[in-house]
Amino acid sequence: MPQQQSLYPELSIDEHLHFFSKLYQIDAGEYKKRRKELLEITRLEPFVDRSAEKLSGGMYKKLGLMCAL
């Protein structure tokens, strides 16, 4: 995991997940399954509309991990 800010600050958690699903060419059915699973594991589901720049350090790292996975 990078030690510096490496995500798009203006994008929300949900927008990051959607962006990376397109980047990795994940089909819609698989994306829906992975999104649900990752949000449950990281407990970030209540914050999907929050922009990356407004996340705490730990939440930001969880978002980075979700994007990598």
Side-chain angles (χ1 to χ4, degrees), residues 23-52:
L23 185 69
Y24 294 130
Q25 300 177 351
I26 298 171
D27 69 71
E30 182 66 21
Y31 167 68
K32 185 176 178 180
K33 179 182 153 204
R34 286 189 192 186
R35 180 186 180 277
K36 182 180 185 317
E37 182 180 312
L38 291 170
L39 288 171
E40 286 176 1
I41 291 169
T42 59
R43 299 183 187 151
L44 289 177
E45 191 166 11
F47 309 102
V48 293
D49 294 327
R50 190 174 294 183
S51 65

Side-chain angles (χ1 to χ4, degrees), residues 10-29:
E10 66 280 353
L11 294 183
S12 68
I13 290 174
D14 207 33
E15 291 168 329
H16 273 95
L17 293 176
H18 183 74
F19 171 78
F20 280 94
S21 75
K22 296 299 181 188
L23 185 69
Y24 294 130
Q25 300 177 351
I26 298 171
D27 69 71

